[in-house]
């Protein structure tokens, strides 16, 4: 149901396959099996799937941190060959700099990277302060990451991403460590930052990974469902719920029907993956 | 932004006072045992009473002689320590950052490292003779390895995810080295600095005993030849005190520069 934005696909995966060689045994692990996907500019896309199905691997390839073994990953029609400030990322394990305070962490990209060029120190500080405020970390600016709770670290990672104002926001389970209430607040915050209420053409592009199906449905324009062993895309679903999304969205019958449909897909996959792992005698991470 | 780094312990004066008391108590116990053993030995040249050591210590300080020896030793120590840091840290960075550099240098380091600084003294006597050069060479040699090896290991241990995080913000390789890898290695570099400090003091005395016409090590040897044991021990006391203070200073620096590293263990 989502209308393609006139400017054409923002991101494109073309016959992408990614394998890893396990260092000691030399065995080959297929992380992602031939994936084709186009992501429109301004789209909010979520990837769900069982653990180990290659979600993070796809995100890393979009970031340019990993290169596909086969196929191409492109942004605005240009093949991605490495990371860049236009594609910012929130990492599953936060990846905050332990020697920098919350403020300095959020400031990092603007201070040392290309997106802060031309900003005066005062402007930069103001923007950083705004982002810290936005994720509810006001008052903790001078704390070091080790002094923060898991949820606060995650929010700091989100503030760091938003402060750098990337074109594409890649988010790897950014809300996983949050309590339910904060999570709901930040979901709505994220949609606001993304530009849900504003002009379609001004929205950034978001690729979001989550384990929570209701979160995927609540946030996205489309949900990509993946299966494990080997990791592949099995279904891409249009959400089609009206925006802006509110608390009322969660109680709509379409919301629940779609959540149920996704769960059915994943549940089958979880069972299948569990049996496969069991017969291979391997414990999964 | 100046924050206290002591984890949990009541900060400030109270803590420091009780530490001083603990030290004094242990030292007093040591002095009593020493005194008893000295009584039992009953030979002033082999083991004098702590009181006569204290008296000689006071006289050496009062006459200014101790200050002269200590100043010479400290000057040599500071110079060699700075040299070791200036060579060791950049080499360690180089070896930590670029495999070709470590491929080139690692064998040399591994071959030289097990050789104690003292083993070089006879050879250094040939080359440098007696003077400043010999102790400076020995101390630099000894302090170099902790700096180098800890810097290298610290850089190599940089969390890959942090480097990746920096790269997704578009920063260049120089910034990553300067603002990710070096800060990440800093706690380990500072640990290296403390090990180097201890090693420097030990080798200083050894080198001065044999190869220098002045300094604390020389003073020990000089008064030994004159059979003035109380003065020998008085110099040893000063060395121990200065060595201890050096380490306290480095520890203070460590807490100042890496206040965040105390809680690192709590990170996932
Ligand atoms: N650097 C690597 N070396 C070897 N194997 C890897 C590497 N990175 C990922 N893999 C493997 O690729 C597969 C997909 O991993 P990925 O991290 O993308 O999963 P995921 O879907 O993000 O899982 P989770 O939900 O648990 O985060 C896994 O089987 C994993 O073991
Ligand atoms: Mg993952």
């Amino acid at each position: 149901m989502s209308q393609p934005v006139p400017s054409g696909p923002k991101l494109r995966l073309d016959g992408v396959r990614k394998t890893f060689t396990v260092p000691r045994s030399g065995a080959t692990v297929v992380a992602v099996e031939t994936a084709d996907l186009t992501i429109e500019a301004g789209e909010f896309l979520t990837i769900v799937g069982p653990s180990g199905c290659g979600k993070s691997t796809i995100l890393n390839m979009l970031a340019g941190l990993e290169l596909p073994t086969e196929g191409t990953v492109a942004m605005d029609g240009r093949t991605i060959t490495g990371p860049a400030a236009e594609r910012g990322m929130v990492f599953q394990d936060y990846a905050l700099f332990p020697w920098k305070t919350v403020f300095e962490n959020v400031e990092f990209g603007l201070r040392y990277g290309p997106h802060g060029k031309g900003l005066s120190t005062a402007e930069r500080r103001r923007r950083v302060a705004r982002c810290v405020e936005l994720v509810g970390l006001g008052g903790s600016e001078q704390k070091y990451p080790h002094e923060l709770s898991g949820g606060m670290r995650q929010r700091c990672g989100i503030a760091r991403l938003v402060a750098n104002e990337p074109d594409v926001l890649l988010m790897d389970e950014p809300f996983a460590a949050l309590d339910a209430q904060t999570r709901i607040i930040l979901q709505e915050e994220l949609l606001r930052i993304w530009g849900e209420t504003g002009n379609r053409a001004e929205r950034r592009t978001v690729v979001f990974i989550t384990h929570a199906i209701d979160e995927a449905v609540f946030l996205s324009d489309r949900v990509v469902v993946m299966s494990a062993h080997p990791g592949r895309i099995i279904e891409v679903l249009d959400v089609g719920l009206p925006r802006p999304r509110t608390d009322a969205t969660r109680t709509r019958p379409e919301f629940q029907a779609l959540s149920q449909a996704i769960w059915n897909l994943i549940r089958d996959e979880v069972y299948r993956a569990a049996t496969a792992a069991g017969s291979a005698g391997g414990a999964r991470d | 932004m100046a924050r206290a780094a002591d984890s949990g312990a009541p900060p400030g004066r109270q803590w420091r006072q009780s530490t001083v008391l603990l030290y004094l108590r242990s030292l007093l116990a040591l002095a009593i045992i020493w005194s008893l053993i000295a009584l039992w030995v009953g030979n002033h040249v082999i083991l004098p009473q702590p009181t006569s050591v204290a008296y000689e210590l006071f006289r050496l300080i009062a006459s200014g002689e101790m200050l002269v020896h200590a100043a010479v030793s400290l000057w040599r120590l500071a110079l060699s320590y700075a040299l070791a840091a200036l060579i060791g840290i950049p080499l360690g960075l180089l070896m930590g950052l670029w495999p070709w550099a470590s491929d080139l240098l690692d064998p040399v380091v591994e071959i030289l490292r097990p050789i104690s600084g003292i083993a070089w003294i006879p050879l250094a006597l040939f080359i440098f003779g007696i003077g400043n050069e010999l102790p400076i060479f020995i101390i630099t040699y000894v302090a170099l390895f902790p700096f180098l090896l800890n810097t290298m290991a610290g850089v190599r241990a940089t969390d890959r995810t942090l480097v990746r995080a920096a790269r997704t913000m578009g920063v260049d390789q120089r910034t990553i080295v300067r603002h990710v890898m070096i800060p990440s290695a800093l706690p380990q570099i500072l640990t290296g600095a403390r090990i180097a400090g201890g090693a420097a003091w030990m080798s200083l005395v050894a080198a001065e005993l044999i190869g220098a016409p002045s300094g604390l090590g020389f003073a020990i040897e000089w008064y030994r030849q004159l059979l003035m044991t109380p003065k020998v021990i008085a110099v040893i006391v000063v060395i121990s005190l200065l060595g201890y203070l050096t380490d306290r200073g480095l520890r203070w620096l460590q807490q100042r520069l890496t206040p965040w590293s105390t809680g690192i263990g709590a990170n996932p």
Side-chain angles (χ1 to χ4, degrees):
Chain A
M1 230 175 106
S2 64
Q3 308 287 307
V5 175
S7 54
K10 188 76 193 169
L11 297 164
R12 187 187 184 96
L13 276 79
D14 227 343
V16 165
R17 197 163 174 273
K18 180 69 184 177
T19 60
F20 290 103
T21 307
V22 182
R24 225 158 302 162
S25 64
T28 302
V29 180
V30 181
V32 177
E33 188 61 83
T34 37
D36 292 293
L37 185 67
T38 47
I39 303 164
E40 303 301 330
E43 184 175 18
F44 200 121
L45 183 109
T46 300
I47 305 177
V48 297
S51 181
C53 70
K55 302 183 295 293
S56 295
T57 305
I58 286 190
L59 213 65
N60 285 336
M61 288 191 287
L62 287 170
L65 292 168
E66 309 269 6
L67 297 178
T69 316
E70 282 167 36
T72 54
V73 183
M75 174 171 172
D76 294 324
R78 282 186 301 274
T79 302
I80 292 168
T81 54
E86 297 95 69
R87 280 166 277 115
M89 179 130 161
V90 174
F91 290 80
Q92 197 167 0
D93 48 4
Y94 324 126
L96 301 176
F97 304 116
W99 53 88
K100 292 198 179 286
T101 61
V102 166
F103 192 91
E104 292 165 337
N105 262 287
V106 176
E107 196 185 24
F108 191 89
L110 292 178
R111 183 150 180 203
Y112 305 116
H115 280 189
K117 296 263 149 62
L119 279 184
S120 73
T121 309
E123 278 172 319
R124 185 179 74 219
R125 295 242 164 94
R126 225 172 303 127
R127 200 203 281 186
V128 171
R130 191 156 21 89
C131 293
V132 170
E133 222 37 81
L134 194 71
V135 296
L137 280 180
S140 300
E141 288 90 346
Q142 300 311 321
K143 288 197 172 129
Y144 286 95
H146 73 83
E147 299 170 291
L148 304 176
S149 71
M152 289 164 90
R153 283 178 209 170
Q154 229 164 25
R155 281 183 274 161
C156 182
I158 294 164
R160 186 173 67 177
L161 169 78
V162 172
N164 207 31
E165 297 196 347
D167 235 10
V168 174
L169 288 78
L170 306 169
M171 308 179 86
D172 199 345
E173 302 190 30
F175 299 157
L178 300 179
D179 59 277
Q181 294 88 327
T182 316
R183 184 185 264 246
I184 286 172
I185 292 168
L186 279 184
Q187 284 170 359
E188 288 170 10
E189 250 349 295
L190 177 61
L191 289 178
R192 208 177 55 71
I193 296 166
W194 170 64
E196 185 178 51
T197 50
N199 189 343
R200 257 209 125 151
E202 276 166 24
R203 288 179 190 164
R204 320 271 183 76
T205 311
V206 179
V207 184
F208 189 101
I209 294 177
T210 179
H211 273 120
I213 294 168
D214 59 332
E215 180 167 273
V217 175
F218 181 77
L219 293 170
S220 343
D221 295 319
R222 283 192 300 159
V223 178
V224 172
V225 184
M226 291 185 69
S227 74
H229 306 287
R232 66 166 85 234
I233 295 172
I234 49 169
E235 195 76 76
V236 182
L237 297 151
D238 277 336
V239 174
L241 290 163
R243 294 191 185 274
R245 310 249 167 100
T246 60
D247 275 342
T249 310
R250 296 178 201 273
T251 56
R252 290 172 78 107
E254 307 99 286
F255 182 93
Q256 291 176 348
L258 194 57
S259 300
Q260 190 59 46
I262 294 171
W263 168 235
N264 287 343
L265 282 166
I266 290 180
R267 189 184 48 198
D268 293 350
E269 280 315 314
V270 170
Y271 283 139
R272 210 173 304 160
T275 343
S279 62
R284 292 192 305 135
D285 43 328
Chain B
M1 268 224 341
R3 43 183 60 240
D6 26 21
S7 46
R13 193 138 301 148
Q14 211 181 347
W15 181 83
R16 246 171 261 146
Q17 262 176 9
S18 68
T19 316
V20 169
L21 271 172
L22 274 176
Y23 268 90
L24 284 179
R25 203 174 59 182
S26 296
L27 287 177
L28 190 70
L30 181 71
I32 290 170
I33 293 167
W34 170 5
S35 179
L36 289 174
I37 296 173
L39 269 177
W40 179 69
V41 170
N43 184 330
H44 211 71
V45 175
I46 295 175
L47 189 65
Q49 281 293 335
T51 44
S52 59
V53 170
Y55 175 66
E56 290 300 338
L57 179 62
F58 170 76
R59 286 213 328 184
L60 281 171
I61 292 170
S63 70
E65 192 186 334
M66 190 65 90
L67 186 70
V68 172
H69 286 305
V72 171
S73 287
L74 280 174
W75 170 79
R76 285 181 189 139
L77 191 88
L79 184 71
S80 335
Y81 191 72
L83 268 176
L86 279 174
I87 302 168
I89 294 174
L91 268 185
L93 286 177
L94 205 69
M95 291 172 70
L97 288 172
W98 289 291
W100 61 263
S102 77
D103 287 349
L104 199 70
L105 293 171
D106 214 37
V108 182
V109 171
E110 288 306 315
I111 286 167
L112 290 180
R113 191 165 63 113
I115 308 172
S116 143
I118 293 159
W120 292 108
I121 292 180
L123 191 64
L125 267 174
F126 276 137
I127 301 171
F128 300 115
I130 287 175
N132 282 325
E133 292 87 346
L134 186 143
I136 289 173
F137 168 76
I138 300 293
I139 303 165
T140 308
Y141 174 87
V142 166
L144 180 71
F145 293 103
F147 271 118
L148 189 151
L149 295 170
N150 278 274
T151 306
M152 181 176 78
V155 168
R156 285 195 186 151
T158 306
D159 183 352
R160 255 188 78 220
T161 323
L162 297 181
V163 175
R164 295 172 134 223
R167 293 178 71 204
T168 58
M169 288 182 268
V171 303
D172 55 24
Q173 190 58 34
R174 255 183 65 136
T175 309
I176 287 172
V177 171
R178 168 73 188 81
H179 291 286
V180 180
M181 296 180 124
I182 292 179
S184 152
L186 195 58
Q188 209 162 338
I189 296 176
L190 291 172
T191 303
R194 281 181 65 192
I195 299 171
W201 267 108
M202 286 187 222
S203 59
L204 169 92
V205 176
E208 283 182 345
L209 275 176
I210 301 168
S214 56
L216 294 167
F218 166 80
I220 289 178
E221 177 61 11
W222 176 256
Y223 289 119
R224 182 195 69 79
Q225 284 177 12
L226 298 177
L227 300 181
M228 297 165 100
T229 316
K231 286 193 174 173
V232 170
I233 298 178
V235 177
I236 290 174
V237 167
V238 168
I239 290 170
S240 133
L241 195 70
L242 289 175
Y244 171 77
L245 288 176
T246 312
D247 192 57
R248 284 310 298 215
L250 289 170
R251 237 153 84 178
W252 175 84
L253 196 71
Q254 200 171 23
Q255 296 192 344
R256 265 336 272 262
L257 292 179
T258 57
W260 47 273
S261 77
T262 46
I264 273 295
N267 251 354

